[in-house]
Amino acid sequence: MYSTNGLSFAVVLSDNTINVYATSNWERTWILSGHSGDVNSIAYSPNGDRIVSGSDDCTVRVWDVATGDCLYIFIGHTEWVRGVVYSPQGNVVASRSDDETIRLWDVGTGDCRSTLSVGGDITDMTFSPSGDNIAFSTDDYKVRVWDIASGECQSILVGHAGRFTSITYSAQGDLICKAAHGAVGVWEVEAGAYRHAVQSNGTPVFSPKGNQFATLFGNGIELWDMATGKCIRRLSTDDEGYSSVAYSPQGDLIVSSSIRDNTLQLWDIVTGECRQTMTGHTSSVTKVLYSPRGDHIASVSYDRTVRLWNVGSGASRKISHRHSAAVTNLSYSPKLNQIASCSVDSTIRLWDAESGVCSGTLTGHSGYVWKIAYSPQGDQLVSCGGDFRVRLWDVESGACRYIFIGHNTIVYDVVFSPQGNQIASASEDKTVRLWNVQTGECQHVLSGNDGVWIIKYSPQGNQIASAGAGGTMNLWDVGTGACQHTLIGHSGDIRGIGYSLDGNQIASASEDKTVRLWDVKTGMCSHIFIGHRRGATRVAFSPRGDQVASASRYDKTVRLWDLESGECRHTLVGCKKDICAIVYSSGGNFIASWSDYGEARLFDVETGECRWTLNYDKSAYLGGSLLSYNFGWMSPEVDTFITGGADGSVRAWKVVEEGDVSRVRMRWRSTNGQLGVEDACVQDVQGLSDLNRRLLKQRGATGEPSLRLRETGKKVMSMASVVSKLKSSSSNTESLN
């Protein structure tokens, strides 16, 4: 959304934040964070200095655009806030909620002026141009106009035989309403007269002058005269997927978006000609907006990008530089200080752990990439996924060294041996395959499980365990491929396994609600840990060697078991969301739990107390998968960790001690924003840091920073101008330090 003065642009993200950009240089100025639920609606104040937002957390917040501060938190609604709007004078904010009320808030004092109890679902609301009235539509097929001063209903507009989905005032004060079944009606508000009705799709849009409005029909746009209710012109193409329209501020042009061919069209209202078709989005375009000055157009797409277009040239100014779909797995390489992420979008991305700079994208998989793992040396990366293939990558060059072919269905897990000379892969085809890293040959095919989901090498690397469907676990000799033991005892599928540090024991977590401890040499079960109320899905040995932890995705608890006595030392509670991962700190004094809905907790192993909690919604939910793993420590001090999100983002977090309180703050995250500088030369630019140099190179700049300027034939950008464009909004990462 553009501010009314055109100086800033706000975007709502799926992590419950609002990003604000300065339109002069498209630098991100603020990340407005504070809502704990989805942000459903935002609106600028008339002078553009404030933003109001409404959220699923039942609150309304008012933000200062200049400072990024939250000025007010309006509390009163008891259900989700669906819409917010400023009065034309900017002194009142209206909010509508699923609690069937509209609340009017005084922006000067923060007080609630009045509450309108509607008694039904409120589908839309809007202030009159004078600000004296507020009109809202309800699910009883009526529009009510309320006098703000008296709080009384001024008129009730009827005429449609369907539920209203949107209402809008014209500049002259006429009211236009869109009904669910495709009818658009126009009322003269003062007289309460029903003037016109037309059939159309989409939300009607008024021209700036208020003398006409535009609606969508099958394969084009219809322009209607407000006075007569007649169709003035039809703007049409062969496409039948128009989704949004917007008038230019001057009212002489209309831009439309398409959900079929992913394009934007610019139309001349007078001639009806299509002046320009803008291409660049890779998925359906759902919304278009004109800037208040009319020099830019903003478009929103299902490809998870917001693009900014120069009206004259039709060139796009912003593109995406993160995963375009959910992140399925993360891996951290301490030797390289690098993070690898893989995604449903079939790609693997490599990130600098300190800065968040994307150093490379590995492409080649034809289906989603499910699992990745670094070699012990950190120079290679292995991946597997839905295309039945296992790929081995050179991290430095990004080249695919080998494609391991043999599995005939989805490959769920892949791991390096501790020595790094062998790779094991597990598939739904009920086999485990062992691959030689040097030659690319398959050394052994291990068959015996009903379905293999999980594999683990022993710490010595001479044995590998496989488990999954059916409740059995097999222990295999890596050298010969022979099955040493079949561990039988569970009555439900096995969801997690783990070796002890010395390799003498292995633990298994099962859907039968139990955790079992097995002797690796004899194959005998030494302990059965009983306590989970529902299926156990994760298990991990403490680095201290004295306990094993188990987690249940379903009962949302973590239990710490004493290896010697078999007793439960602590039951760690408080998790509100399904647990998908547990990880001990390197010292074994802490354990973290992670939910694929975005909840993380750190527990003290000795006391069982929760040290800190992180919550951010819709992080990495993958349809209830028990195989996704999107959490990892980046430091032995357990003060830095990484997470992956369903929105395609990768985030790095920092735990900060503030007195006796531990707080979690975001260090950086990958975002949609990147400004290309393919036409820029940074040859001999002075003062660039190594981070800025890498950011520029990543985005297509040429030349090497040095002492004096050369290559004057190319466009040379000053360090200050280049870096200012790359920081925050135009970087592929957002640094939050």
Side-chain angles (χ1 to χ4, degrees):
M1 172 181 285
Y2 279 99
S3 65
T4 47
N5 55 18
L7 299 179
S8 68
F9 186 83
V11 180
V12 175
L13 300 184
S14 59
D15 61 0
N16 312 331
T17 66
I18 305 163
N19 283 12
V20 182
Y21 299 84
T23 57
S24 58
N25 53 15
W26 291 107
E27 289 187 7
R28 192 198 66 216
T29 54
W30 302 109
I31 297 177
L32 309 181
S33 61
H35 283 297
S36 60
D38 289 351
V39 179
N40 297 315
S41 178
I42 61 172
Y44 274 97
S45 61
N47 59 9
D49 63 341
R50 293 182 179 183
I51 292 174
V52 62
S53 56
S55 167
D56 281 356
D57 63 11
C58 307
T59 69
V60 177
R61 289 175 179 254
V62 177
W63 312 86
D64 189 299
V65 174
T67 65
D69 294 333
C70 181
L71 302 177
Y72 294 109
I73 303 176
F74 299 145
I75 299 175
H77 286 296
T78 58
E79 297 290 344
W80 293 352
V81 179
R82 293 295 190 179
V84 289
V85 63
Y86 261 98
S87 67
Q89 293 76 23
N91 60 335
V92 175
V93 164
S95 59
R96 61 181 176 91
S97 167
D98 283 351
D99 63 11
E100 301 182 353
T101 68
I102 293 175
R103 289 178 177 262
L104 303 180
W105 308 90
D106 190 299
V107 176
T109 65
D111 296 331
C112 181
R113 283 190 175 185
S114 58
T115 301
L116 310 179
S117 296
V118 176
D121 289 342
I122 308 164
T123 57
D124 199 10
M125 66 179 179
T126 183
F127 277 99
S128 65
S130 65
D132 297 332
N133 301 320
I134 187 168
F136 59 90
S137 53
T138 54
D139 58 359
D140 62 357
Y141 310 160
K142 297 176 182 178
V143 175
R144 290 169 172 82
V145 181
W146 284 77
D147 181 82
I148 293 176
S150 65
E152 296 180 355
C153 181
Q154 181 175 311
S155 59
I156 299 176
L157 309 180
V158 295
H160 273 324
R163 179 186 175 98
F164 294 103
T165 57
S166 68
I167 56 175
T168 310
Y169 272 100
S170 70
Q172 291 76 19
D174 292 323
L175 196 64
I176 186 169
C177 304
K178 170 69 171 62
H181 58 69
V184 175
V186 179
W187 278 266
E188 189 175 326
V189 175
E190 288 190 9
Y194 188 44
R195 293 174 57 184
H196 309 301
V198 300
Q199 288 293 321
S200 181
N201 298 318
T203 301
V205 178
F206 272 114
S207 67
K209 297 178 181 178
N211 60 335
Q212 67 176 222
F213 63 94
T215 61
L216 302 176
F217 73 101
N219 63 339
I221 303 158
E222 291 179 322
L223 306 182
W224 302 86
D225 185 274
M226 279 291 295
T228 64
K230 294 182 178 179
C231 182
I232 306 169
R233 186 178 298 280
R234 290 186 176 181
L235 314 175
S236 62
T237 64
D238 294 332
D239 182 65
E240 294 185 358
Y242 286 99
S243 57
S244 176
V245 295
Y247 279 92
S248 66
Q250 297 76 25
D252 57 338
L253 299 173
I254 276 184
V255 63
S256 61
S257 61
S258 171
I259 59 174
R260 295 290 179 85
D261 62 6
N262 314 328
T263 64
L264 283 72
Q265 287 83 30
L266 191 63
W267 304 87
D268 187 302
I269 288 179
V270 177
T271 65
E273 295 178 355
C274 181
R275 286 190 177 183
Q276 199 169 24
T277 298
M278 291 165 268
T279 61
H281 281 296
T282 59
S283 188
S284 300
V285 186
T286 58
K287 181 73 174 179
V288 287
L289 295 169
Y290 251 102
S291 66
R293 293 190 294 268
D295 53 345
H296 294 118
I297 292 169
S299 58
V300 181
S301 168
Y302 282 141
D303 65 11
R304 300 177 184 267
T305 67
V306 176
R307 286 180 178 259
L308 307 175
W309 309 83
N310 291 319
V311 173
S313 65
S316 173
R317 296 188 58 192
K318 291 185 93 65
I319 62 175
S320 174
H321 201 76
R322 73 172 179 191
H323 287 297
S324 59
V327 176
T328 53
N329 190 227
L330 296 169
S331 186
Y332 174 63
S333 170
K335 293 187 177 181
L336 300 177
N337 198 26
Q338 185 183 75
I339 298 164
S341 61
C342 60
S343 169
V344 175
D345 68 5
S346 306
T347 69
I348 301 162
R349 292 183 184 267
L350 307 178
W351 311 87
D352 182 275
E354 183 64 28
S355 64
V357 174
C358 181
S359 57
T361 302
L362 312 181
T363 59
H365 281 287
S366 58
Y368 60 79
V369 186
W370 194 257
K371 188 76 179 293
I372 50 178
Y374 278 100
S375 64
Q377 297 76 22
D379 59 339
Q380 297 184 97
L381 189 75
V382 66
S383 60
C384 66
D387 60 0
F388 315 162
R389 302 290 188 263
V390 177
R391 288 177 176 261
L392 182 63
W393 309 86
D394 182 88
V395 172
E396 183 176 358
S397 66
C400 182
R401 290 190 57 200
Y402 291 115
I403 303 175
F404 302 134
I405 300 175
H407 290 295
N408 56 37
T409 186
I410 298 170
V411 185
Y412 281 127
D413 202 3
V414 65
V415 289
F416 269 98
S417 66
Q419 295 77 22
N421 61 342
Q422 189 180 73
I423 291 169
S425 57
S427 170
E428 198 177 52
D429 65 10
K430 304 180 181 180
T431 68
V432 176
R433 290 178 178 260
L434 305 183
W435 311 89
N436 186 296
V437 171
Q438 295 300 319
T439 65
E441 296 178 353
C442 181
Q443 296 175 308
H444 297 291
V445 180
L446 315 178
S447 303
N449 294 92
D450 289 342
V452 188
W453 300 332
I454 318 159
I455 48 177
K456 295 282 186 186
Y457 276 99
S458 66
Q460 296 77 21
N462 60 338
Q463 185 183 79
I464 192 167
S466 63
T472 62
M473 177 165 51
N474 289 333
L475 305 183
W476 308 86
D477 184 286
V478 169
T480 64
C483 182
Q484 297 174 317
H485 297 290
T486 298
L487 311 182
I488 301 175
H490 284 299
S491 59
D493 295 343
I494 297 175
R495 294 295 186 176
I497 60 175
Y499 276 95
S500 61
L501 290 183
D502 58 13
N504 294 328
Q505 294 176 306
I506 190 168
S508 56
S510 169
E511 295 276 8
D512 66 7
K513 308 178 187 178
T514 69
V515 176
R516 289 178 177 255
L517 192 62
W518 310 84
D519 186 285
V520 169
K521 291 182 180 180
T522 65
M524 300 298 292
C525 179
S526 58
H527 284 295
I528 302 175
F529 302 131
I530 300 174
H532 284 293
R533 300 189 307 275
R534 299 184 65 185
T537 52
R538 290 289 183 259
V539 66
F541 273 91
S542 166
R544 296 176 176 179
D546 61 339
Q547 69 177 211
V548 66
S550 64
S552 170
R553 181 188 186 97
Y554 311 110
D555 70 14
K556 301 177 179 61
T557 66
V558 179
R559 295 174 182 263
L560 306 182
W561 308 91
D562 188 281
L563 288 179
E564 186 174 344
S565 67
E567 295 180 354
C568 182
R569 290 184 179 179
H570 292 292
T571 299
L572 311 180
V573 297
C575 298
K576 306 298 183 184
K577 302 170 184 177
D578 297 351
I579 299 172
C580 77
I582 52 172
V583 187
Y584 274 99
S585 63
S586 60
N589 53 333
F590 297 105
I591 190 169
S593 66
W594 168 250
S595 164
D596 55 11
Y597 285 96
E599 179 187 39
R601 288 176 178 263
L602 183 72
F603 296 95
D604 187 298
V605 169
E606 295 298 327
T607 65
E609 295 179 353
C610 182
R611 292 287 301 275
W612 53 254
T613 301
L614 166 71
N615 278 287
Y616 73 102
D617 287 344
K618 298 193 298 187
S619 166
Y621 181 61
L622 298 173
S625 170
L626 290 166
L627 301 174
S628 60
Y629 203 97
N630 300 292
F631 178 95
W633 292 113
M634 291 200 302
S635 68
E637 296 80 14
V638 297
D639 62 351
T640 311
F641 61 95
I642 51 175
T643 62
D647 58 356
S649 67
V650 175
R651 291 171 166 84
W653 306 86
K654 179 77 172 178
V655 181
V656 180
E657 302 292 338
E658 298 178 354
D660 296 332
V661 180
S662 299
R663 301 189 185 279
V664 184
R665 302 189 185 281
M666 196 186 302
R667 288 182 57 195
W668 57 259
R669 68 177 172 192
S670 60
T671 77
N672 280 336
Q674 180 198 4
L675 181 61
V677 290
E678 288 81 1
D679 61 342
C681 173
V682 293
Q683 186 73 41
D684 299 320
V685 171
Q686 300 180 41
L688 284 177
S689 67
D690 180 63
L691 171 59
N692 287 327
R693 181 186 63 80
R694 285 182 288 151
L695 285 170
L696 289 165
K697 285 292 184 182
Q698 178 183 316
R699 288 155 179 78
T702 61
E704 289 294 333
S706 185
L707 298 176
R708 58 189 180 84
L709 294 174
R710 296 193 302 268
E711 295 186 33
T712 55
K714 292 184 178 180
K715 179 181 178 182
V716 180
M717 300 177 71
S718 70
M719 180 197 67
S721 64
V722 171
V723 174
S724 67
K725 289 183 179 180
L726 289 176
K727 284 185 177 178
S728 301
S729 68
S730 57
S731 171
N732 73 298
T733 60
E734 294 180 348
S735 179
L736 302 179
N737 291 330

